[in-house]
């Protein structure tokens, strides 16, 4: 589903495009394989883990006084076609309304050009709608802390954190670092949308540099492999040539004159043999038999 001019030699590009398209994230599983995940939410996880403030290292737990509400999703294509799906913005105190924007995603561009551009209906609402209905449930309240409890936590997990006053705050783990005897450092962090445009430019530049490095490395590997194969063929041909040279030298050094002289002597002996006495002897024996002798 990727156009030829969008092909990449860097697997990280494909992973990031797909993760953005699905509204999720990517991790390495226990076997080191790529695994796509969605963020947990109260829609599917009604009984989340509850982490008490007493389970956090002293003076490390910080919980923001606001939360993020993903109320809208938008797609912008290369020709500036725009499609969005949204709910009403939240008017609740302490809620920041944020719109998710997908732009420059090759998978979206393929769907747009090949499945909608040729028809009168250029509607991509099936993509924006699915993303919007999913992401509206994601609980995003920034926090950080070093957890020392006995619960095994994971990325994308929907949890509740109970503060000193007993108030439960819903949030999602987006960053986790485990240290031996140092607890689990967990966070819910994000990006400031005001810096996304500049961040995206830097990301594209870095991605282009990574593509160039990957292509150079692959070209070097291809040249190296071809050189090794070429060297093997040259060595094989040289061995064949050496074998032929040896056989030619053997034939050149072979003395056939003795064999020729030997055959000539045998022919001459047959040519000079006197068979007349044998013929006369046979004739005499035949005549004796005929006359009863």
């Amino acid at each position: 589903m990727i156009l030829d001019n969008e092909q990449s030699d860097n697997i990280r590009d494909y992973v990031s495009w797909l993760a953005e398209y699905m509204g999720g994230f990517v991790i390495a599983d226990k076997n080191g394989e790529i695994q796509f995940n969605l963020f947990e939410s109260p829609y599917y996880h009604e009984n989340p883990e509850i982490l008490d403030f007493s389970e956090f290292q002293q003076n490390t737990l910080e919980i923001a006084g606001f939360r993020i509400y993903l109320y809208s999703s938008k797609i912008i294509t290369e020709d500036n076609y725009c499609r969005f799906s949204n709910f009403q913005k939240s008017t609740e105190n302490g809620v920041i309304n944020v719109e998710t924007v997908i732009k420059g995603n090759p998978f979206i561009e393929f769907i747009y050009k090949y499945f909608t551009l040729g028809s009168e209906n250029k509607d991509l609402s099936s993509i924006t709608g699915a993303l919007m209905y999913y992401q509206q449930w994601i609980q995003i309240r920034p926090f950080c802390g070093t957890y020392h409890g006995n619960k095994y936590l994971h990325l994308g997990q929907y949890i509740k954190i109970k503060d000193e006053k007993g108030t439960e705050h819903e949030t999602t783990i987006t960053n986790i670092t485990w240290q031996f005897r140092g607890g689990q450092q967990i966070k819910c962090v994000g990006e400031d949308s005001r810096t996304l445009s500049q961040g995206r430019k830097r990301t594209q530049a870095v991605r282009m540099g990574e593509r160039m490095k990957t292509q150079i490395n692959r070209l070097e590997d291809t040249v190296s492999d071809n050189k090794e194969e070429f060297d093997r063929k040259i060595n094989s041909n040289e061995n064949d040539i050496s074998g032929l040279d040896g056989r030619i030298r053997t034939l050149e050094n072979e003395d056939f004159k003795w064999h020729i002289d030997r055959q000539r002597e045998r022919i001459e002996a047959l040519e000079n043999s006197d068979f007349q006495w044998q013929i006369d002897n046979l004739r005499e024996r035949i005549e004796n038999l005929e006359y009863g002798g």
Side-chain angles (χ1 to χ4, degrees):
M1 293 177 61
I2 298 293
L3 302 176
D4 292 339
N5 60 350
E6 290 288 351
Q7 297 291 334
S8 173
D9 289 327
N10 194 329
I11 187 62
R12 285 173 293 188
D13 290 336
Y14 294 99
V15 168
S16 62
W17 292 333
L18 288 171
E20 181 183 47
Y21 177 35
M22 64 185 284
F25 61 99
V26 180
I27 65 171
D29 63 15
K30 296 180 180 179
N31 298 319
E33 300 292 336
I34 294 174
Q35 178 177 314
F36 290 87
N37 287 350
L38 293 176
F39 294 98
E40 295 180 358
S41 70
Y43 187 83
Y44 291 104
H45 301 81
E46 297 180 355
N47 300 307
E49 296 284 2
I50 300 177
L51 310 183
D52 191 80
F53 79 95
S54 62
E55 298 176 300
F56 286 85
Q57 185 173 317
Q58 188 175 7
N59 298 325
T60 64
L61 179 61
E62 297 182 6
I63 305 175
F66 63 91
R67 69 181 182 89
I68 306 296
Y69 174 54
L70 302 177
Y71 78 100
S72 175
S73 63
K74 178 187 291 185
I75 288 176
I76 302 176
T77 62
E78 289 182 352
D79 61 0
N80 291 323
Y81 168 79
C82 177
R83 181 64 190 179
F84 66 92
S85 299
N86 65 283
F87 291 108
Q88 291 292 327
K89 292 184 178 180
S90 175
T91 58
E92 181 184 343
N93 291 332
V95 175
I96 299 177
N97 297 286
V98 174
E99 182 178 56
T100 300
V101 180
I102 299 179
K103 185 176 181 179
N105 188 306
F107 289 98
I108 300 294
E109 296 295 339
F110 176 88
I111 295 172
Y112 172 67
K113 291 182 179 179
Y114 281 86
F115 288 96
T116 63
L117 190 59
S119 63
E120 296 181 357
N121 183 14
K122 299 180 181 181
D123 193 4
L124 296 178
S125 60
S126 60
I127 299 176
T128 57
L131 184 58
M132 177 195 65
Y133 280 104
Y134 152 67
Q135 69 180 14
Q136 67 160 326
W137 295 98
I138 302 174
Q139 301 300 308
I140 305 175
R141 181 180 292 274
F143 82 93
C144 65
T146 303
Y147 177 72
H148 287 275
N150 57 5
K151 297 180 177 65
Y152 180 76
L153 308 174
H154 55 270
L155 283 174
Q157 183 177 359
Y158 163 58
I159 60 172
K160 290 183 179 180
I161 299 178
K162 183 181 295 185
D163 61 18
E164 294 182 2
K165 298 180 181 179
T167 303
E168 294 182 351
H169 304 277
E170 296 178 290
T171 186
T172 304
I173 298 175
T174 62
N175 184 292
I176 184 168
T177 303
W178 179 86
Q179 292 183 348
F180 180 65
R181 295 181 179 178
Q184 302 176 67
Q185 297 179 13
I186 55 177
K187 302 178 183 179
C188 179
V189 294
E191 292 178 297
D192 186 344
S193 60
R194 293 169 295 182
T195 64
L196 282 181
S197 60
Q198 294 300 321
R200 186 176 292 111
K201 291 180 181 178
R202 290 194 298 272
T203 300
Q204 291 175 349
V206 171
R207 186 172 65 189
M208 184 60 67
E210 291 175 346
R211 286 191 192 180
M212 293 294 294
K213 291 179 181 178
T214 302
Q215 291 174 350
I216 291 172
N217 291 335
R218 288 192 173 186
L219 181 59
E220 289 178 347
D221 293 339
T222 301
V223 172
S224 178
D225 293 340
N226 290 338
K227 182 178 182 301
E228 293 178 358
E229 180 65 21
F230 185 65
D231 290 341
R232 284 195 295 269
K233 290 182 178 179
I234 290 176
N235 293 332
S236 178
N237 291 335
E238 288 179 348
N239 293 333
D240 293 339
I241 292 172
S242 298
L244 291 174
D245 287 340
R247 295 178 63 185
I248 291 172
R249 291 192 190 96
T250 301
L251 292 174
E252 288 177 343
N253 296 329
E254 185 74 25
D255 185 6
F256 295 100
K257 189 175 183 304
W258 180 84
H259 297 285
I260 295 173
D261 293 341
R262 179 64 177 170
Q263 298 301 324
R264 183 180 291 110
E265 290 176 357
R266 295 178 63 186
I267 293 171
E268 291 177 350
L270 292 173
E271 290 176 343
N272 298 327
S273 296
D274 184 7
F275 297 101
Q276 188 61 44
W277 70 273
Q278 296 180 359
I279 294 172
D280 293 341
N281 187 24
L282 289 173
R283 182 181 289 112
E284 183 179 354
R285 292 174 64 185
I286 291 170
E287 291 175 353
N288 289 334
L289 290 172
E290 290 176 343
Y291 293 106

